[in-house]
Amino acid sequence: MKSQQHEIATALLSIGAVELRPQDQFTWTSGIKSPIYCDNRLTMSSPTVRKQIAQALASNIQEFFPQTDIVAGTATAGIPHAAWVSDVLNLPMVYVRSKAKEHGRGNQIEGKIEAGQKVVVVEDLISTGGSSIDAVRALQDQGCVVLGVVSIFTYNLKRADELFEEAGMPYISLTNFDALVEVASLAKQISDEDKPQLIEWHEKLKHGQL
C-alpha cells in the first residue's frame, strides 16, 4: 500500500496536480493559508496518469469491496474518475449532485440506480469528508447499500476520520499528505528546511488549529 501511495503521489506531482509552496502559500476558499494546492482535475489531461489512477482505484474496489454492483461519482470532480473506473470494472455508473436539481425530474442522483444495489462512491479528494458523506446519504436515501468511499487523495484530517466513523463508512485513498511530502522531499522538490514546516502546518490543520 505504501508503494502505491508513493507512486500516485509521484504521478500527481509530475503533472502539477499537487503543488507545494511553503514560502508562497495559497489561500483556500475557507481563508486558510496553505502551502499545498491539490487540483486533481489536471489528471483529466494526462492519459497516462488518469489510467494509472483508474487502475489503482479499480484494484482497491476489487480487493476491499468485491460485492460492488455500481460505481457512483461525486459531482463534479469525481465524475470522470468514476467513469474510467466503472469502465475498467465493466460496471454501471451514476453520479451524485450536491443537491437535487430544481428543474426537470429534480434528481440528485443521475443515472439508473435501484434500491438494494451495492455502491462504492468515487471522490477525487477528501478534506473534511463532508461532501463524500452527503453523497453516501443521498444514495442511502434511495435504498442503496453503500459499501465505502474511494478517493485519489486525502489530507488525513481528524475531522474526516470522525465523520466517516460516525457514518460507519470505510474509506480508502490512493495517496495522502504524508506520502506526498515524503516523495517531494526525496525528489528535492522541497528543501530540508521546508519539510518540518509542512509537517507542522499539517498537524495544526489536522487538529483544527488553523
Side-chain angles (χ1 to χ4, degrees):
M1 181 65 77
K2 191 169 185 180
S3 175
Q4 182 186 79
Q5 290 174 355
H6 289 176
E7 288 172 5
I8 298 298
T10 299
L12 294 177
L13 284 165
S14 74
I15 61 170
V18 178
E19 191 175 351
L20 292 164
R21 289 194 335 214
Q23 306 306 326
D24 182 21
Q25 297 191 349
F26 302 94
T27 302
W28 288 352
T29 51
S30 62
I32 290 175
K33 293 291 184 181
S34 169
I36 178 174
Y37 186 74
C38 184
D39 185 1
N40 287 325
R41 289 164 295 195
L42 289 175
T43 61
M44 294 188 294
S45 303
S46 174
T48 301
V49 173
R50 76 187 191 208
K51 286 176 185 175
Q52 182 181 2
I53 288 170
Q55 289 289 348
L57 289 170
S59 294
N60 275 281
I61 291 171
Q62 287 174 318
E63 180 177 355
F64 297 103
F65 310 113
Q67 315 97 315
T68 302
D69 297 317
I70 193 162
V71 175
T74 55
T76 56
I79 293 174
H81 299 288
W84 295 317
V85 168
S86 65
D87 191 52
V88 172
L89 297 174
N90 195 30
L91 288 174
M93 175 206 155
V94 298
Y95 71 84
V96 186
R97 298 174 180 274
S98 58
K99 61 180 181 179
K101 287 193 299 186
E102 296 179 359
H103 58 280
R105 294 180 175 176
N107 294 340
Q108 183 172 2
I109 301 169
E110 299 289 2
K112 185 178 180 181
I113 199 160
E114 297 175 0
Q117 285 189 303
K118 297 180 176 65
V119 186
V120 167
V121 173
V122 174
E123 181 74 273
D124 80 312
L125 179 148
I126 291 174
S127 53
T128 63
S131 61
S132 302
I133 296 301
D134 287 345
V136 166
R137 287 178 178 144
L139 288 159
Q140 290 173 333
D141 286 346
Q142 293 297 311
C144 298
V145 179
V146 182
L147 301 176
V149 176
V150 294
S151 72
I152 301 169
F153 182 85
T154 178
Y155 282 103
N156 285 348
L157 299 188
K158 183 180 179 183
R159 181 58 182 150
D161 290 340
E162 290 171 347
L163 277 180
F164 279 99
E165 187 174 346
E166 286 168 13
M169 190 59 47
Y171 78 99
I172 298 165
S173 285
L174 299 184
T175 192
N176 55 56
F177 182 87
D178 298 326
L180 186 76
V181 170
E182 193 172 339
V183 165
S185 178
L186 290 170
K188 302 300 181 185
Q189 293 190 23
I190 56 172
S191 69
D192 292 340
E193 293 77 23
D194 287 337
K195 187 174 180 180
Q197 281 184 260
L198 287 163
I199 293 170
E200 182 183 0
W201 172 86
H202 185 242
E203 282 299 311
K204 288 180 179 178
L205 180 69
K206 189 189 294 186
H207 297 288
Q209 296 170 358
L210 291 176

